[in-house]
Amino acid sequence: MKSSIPVVNTTCAYCGVGCGIRVRVQDPGRRQVTLEGDPDHPANYGKLCAKGATLAETIGLEKRQLAPQIRGREVDWSVATDYVARKITEVLEKHGPDAIGLYLSGQLLTEDYYVANKFAKGFLGTANVDTNSRLCMSSSVVGHKRAFGEDLVPTCYEDIDHADLMVLVGSNTAWCHPIVYQRIKNARQNNPRLKVVVIDPRRTDTCDIADLHLPLRAGTDVLLFNGLLARLFEKGCLDYDFIEAHTDGFREAVRQAIDDTTDPAVIADTCGLATRDIETFYSWFEQTGKTLTFYSQGVNQSITGSDKVNAIINCHLATGRIGKPGAGPFSLTGQPNAMGGREVGGLANQLAAHMDFDEDSVDRVARFWKAPNMARKPGLKTLDLFEAARRGDIKVLWIMATNPAVSLPDNNRVREALENCELVIVSDCIADTDTMAYADVKLPAQGWGEKDGTVTNSERCLSRQRAFLASPGLAKPDWQIVSEVARAMGFEAAFSFYEPADVFREHARLSCFENNTGQRQRFFNLEPLANIQQAVYDQLKPTQWPLKPALNGRLFSDGRFATASGKARFISTAHRPVANATSEEYPLQLNTGRVRDQWHTMTRTAFAKRLNAHKPRPFMEIHPDTATEYGISDGDIVHVESRWGEMLAAASVSEGVQREQLFIPIHWNDQFSSRGRVGPLVNPDVDDHSGQPELKHTPVRIRKETFALYARLWTRREIRKPSSDYWVKVQGDHAIVYDMAHQQWTEWTTLLTGSDPASVQYQDPRRNTFRYAWFNGPRLERCLFLSPEPLALNEQWINQLFSKERLERFERQALLSGMAPGHIEDTGAIVCACHSVGEKTILRAISQGCCSATEIGSATKAGTNCGSCVGELNQMIAATLSQPEDQGNQLREQQTAGYELPRQ
Ligand code: SF4
């Protein structure tokens, strides 16, 4: 039956794929909504990954910042606005505009971004406005501007359906852009000619669809692509007509590539690859006209990130594979509105509407804005901005919708900056982020579902993010917060925005202002939307720019680029070894990245309990040989240390990483762990051109960490942050789980057990093993396990006990053993978040004859919704089937003992 509840079309809050979502509000008072993928949205045609599909679980009001606060005192908006306006004015008068900094976010809507930039660059007179997109895409921005004359992504998602070769460089698309990955996978099924090459030091889930995986050494991408360019030249596989008519700088770039080397053996040796694999990649590229090269953080987050981007683009320009269906370089953006931020000049070295700090552009924007204090030079990029705050040169730092106290490299130094800065203002919807802890002024911003505006995805498609919930407490949209401060400072006329459509209209008008006047034409031009009426804005459907349907969403089809000459530019890129190479003292390379079901610093995804089940704790992937060398077993806590800082993480032994490499995810923060942040370790070196930090390569050393006491507590209610030497908090489906470890058995254990006598307990003082459970009638409230050894408990089963209002007698009896009774299925760690299917259930399915992800899906449902876990399913099949027969049989017996597959 058709639902009578109206549908609100909006866009996902997470990644740059920009999936459309249809929301129905079931109960506005209790903020209960249902949602599904928007079948009409061109980014996802109805599909959602696990993160998008669980957004409804993240919109509760617990943990929200609902009122302004000044130094811990709740105030109303007029006081907060006047205070911020007065403080900024005082600093401007005393220290000048460069003493003020803004740090923005790809989570902001375009309207928020536009107003913040206008305020800082046009009215305060400072370009010290940077964004967390600096960490994500700034090397691609440089690469695009150098090659195309403007920050332009030439390709579109539809190209996936036309390509015959897809090269994915530094991109775990399966986990980080799951819906794009699904499209690639479908294309592969539909097109038998299509080949996929994955270039990544790690064997990630994306390799599941790879015909060829090149596990290159970190930082050697430029050499690999220079080698390809030289090879294309040598073999005469170039499009000289295109090069001649539409490009400049070919000779120099090829000369540089040849100077690097033309010898595949040298390339193989430097890149750590097999010569025959390089030959295969090069020959596939030579022979395939419709080649699409995706790249993401593995390319961008590097001291040579900009050169890597240009080395890739050079190969496309040399073969004329750009602006054509199924061909081109395709930068996959990380954040939901990284692209929108770039359109309004969210980076410190850009002005708005794809303009730079050249004299003409500064003058043009100043006239358009009627700006009294136009910034005339680029501002400080992210790491320099925080370093200036640490030195005391930045006196006011206004941070919006981001968590630099977790995400930036050399993170303890960033925290010093936040401590040293005279006034830290944080606008956020979440009250207790690590960054909020440093805020002198906290401003409550609206969150997803309350905000209203636009975002731009990886393929230049503008989509509306629409409000479907009432704004809670005193929360306001960021564009309004900034506008009110600007008006309080006397800039009434320029900031008289009262609806997001007012802001969007002005943004669109600036994009076409003096944009067809004989000077270099800017490709970013929203002229048809410059007078958009409120009703049209309200109903705006996903709209790709340039707004000329004839281009079919693709740029450069006519061979015209955004440079002064109209020609694309080859950029000569020389291979450079990574800075801060490993040494005897720090012999291993740390790579960082994301996991499938978390987003950034977990401030939203951690509320979706299903998402926490996949990778619940901070972990470090380590190769089995390296683990053996260091005496480390799977699950051991490992101390990881670099020149800059240290952390603790549980070892996850995996052949997916190379022997000299480690991988640690970026997500954990002080709210969910102690010493679980990877940021303090990470190398603060940056790319000279883009200022993007080298997040993929930090020399580190490791050692196994042992503790005197290990504890695990399940509780229905949150406790104060534990004071143990190490702890991790996991928000489970029905209870919160705290893992704790301590160096000494002291009164600390009594702190845990408290004065409340346990309902049942087991104590073995000789072996220092203690187990307690607390009941409220038949309902389990809390249970605690203490041991001198790391605990091996059946976590999924204990979690399930908290879903029950009454425990059966046999469950109470089994509880303190930490193991399920024999007839209860042990599902193991969750692999499929959509259907909560555990590892052991899947292994049992394999042992009972399932040989493909489809068969596992039929037997267990795993992988049948968003498909994000299919790679993991295939790896499990491959790992099980590759066991020597004896071991395989033994494993199968262990896995099947006493269990049947769950019935559908
Ligand atoms: Fe959201 Fe990205 Fe998943 Fe799409 S692929 S649902 S945009 S997180």
Side-chain angles (χ1 to χ4, degrees), residues 11-21 43-44 47-53 55 176-180 334 336 599 868:
T11 313
C12 179
Y14 298 118
C15 82
V17 179
C19 296
I21 293 183
N44 57 317
K47 287 196 175 304
L48 291 178
C49 76
K51 291 189 287 283
L55 267 165
C176 302
H177 301 95
I179 298 302
V180 165
W599 177 254
S868 305

Side-chain angles (χ1 to χ4, degrees), residues 434 618 648 668-677 721 726-729:
D434 289 18
L648 297 174
W668 277 270
N669 56 60
D670 287 356
Q671 312 309 313
F672 292 93
S673 66
S674 64
R675 302 168 72 190
R677 274 184 298 126
K721 280 185 187 171
Y726 176 61
W727 61 266
V728 179
K729 173 179 144 186

Side-chain angles (χ1 to χ4, degrees), residues 243-523:
I243 292 169
E244 190 59 35
H246 302 297
T247 70
D248 285 322
F250 170 69
R251 277 174 203 288
E252 295 79 357
V254 161
R255 171 60 45 213
Q256 177 61 61
I258 292 169
D259 281 354
D260 265 1
T261 181
T262 51
D263 183 350
V266 175
I267 298 170
D269 189 47
T270 311
C271 298
L273 298 169
T275 312
R276 71 173 178 283
D277 289 345
I278 294 181
E279 292 287 351
T280 304
F281 169 48
Y282 286 0
S283 63
W284 285 356
F285 199 102
E286 275 164 36
Q287 293 157 15
T288 318
K290 291 182 175 179
T291 299
L292 203 52
T293 306
F294 294 96
Y295 48 93
S296 194
Q297 317 307 27
V299 165
N300 294 319
Q301 292 176 335
S302 160
I303 58 156
T304 55
S306 307
D307 284 354
K308 288 182 188 182
V309 171
N310 285 110
I312 292 169
I313 293 173
N314 284 347
C315 294
H316 278 271
L317 292 176
T319 47
R321 293 175 193 166
I322 194 161
K324 296 173 182 156
F330 200 154
S331 146
L332 291 173
T333 44
Q335 299 199 73
N337 199 28
M339 292 284 277
R342 283 146 66 174
E343 288 159 8
V344 301
L347 294 163
N349 49 323
Q350 292 179 326
L351 267 181
H354 280 197
M355 283 181 271
D356 291 321
F357 280 92
D358 57 279
E359 218 173 293
D360 286 349
S361 298
V362 170
D363 173 62
R364 184 180 306 117
V365 177
R367 282 185 287 108
F368 181 84
W369 280 343
K370 300 187 177 53
N373 305 308
M374 192 69 201
R376 301 204 164 260
K377 60 179 191 331
L380 297 170
K381 298 184 181 113
T382 297
L383 291 199
D384 295 334
L385 179 69
F386 280 84
E387 189 54 25
R390 202 182 73 86
R391 285 195 309 267
D393 295 345
I394 294 282
K395 310 285 182 192
V396 176
L397 186 56
W398 190 345
I399 298 164
M400 297 179 203
T402 183
N403 201 0
V406 179
S407 53
L408 294 184
D410 195 4
N411 199 250
N412 291 336
R413 198 171 170 100
V414 169
R415 290 182 174 220
E416 272 176 46
L418 293 169
E419 246 155 37
N420 287 357
C421 186
E422 274 181 32
L423 185 73
V424 176
I425 305 163
V426 181
S427 309
D428 207 315
C429 55
I430 303 295
D432 59 359
T433 69
D434 289 18
T435 301
M436 269 292 198
Y438 295 88
D440 300 293
V441 179
K442 300 178 180 179
L443 301 176
Q446 289 179 338
W448 185 79
E450 300 150 12
K451 307 205 267 195
D452 200 24
T454 52
V455 291
T456 308
N457 73 3
S458 291
E459 60 159 1
R460 292 170 273 101
C461 183
L462 301 171
S463 291
R464 290 278 277 109
Q465 235 189 54
R466 292 187 171 89
F468 51 84
L469 294 167
S471 196
L474 300 180
K476 287 187 181 185
D478 288 282
W479 63 263
Q480 191 180 347
I481 297 171
V482 178
S483 296
E484 286 174 1
V485 169
R487 293 203 291 265
M489 290 178 67
F491 306 125
E492 287 89 352
F495 291 88
S496 55
F497 303 117
Y498 297 98
E499 293 292 338
D502 300 337
V503 183
F504 184 85
R505 215 175 288 120
E506 183 177 305
H507 160 56
R509 281 198 353 255
L510 175 55
S511 76
C512 55
F513 182 62
E514 296 178 0
N515 195 7
N516 208 2
T517 56
Q519 299 160 356
R520 185 181 71 76
Q521 216 178 320
R522 306 185 304 277
F523 277 39

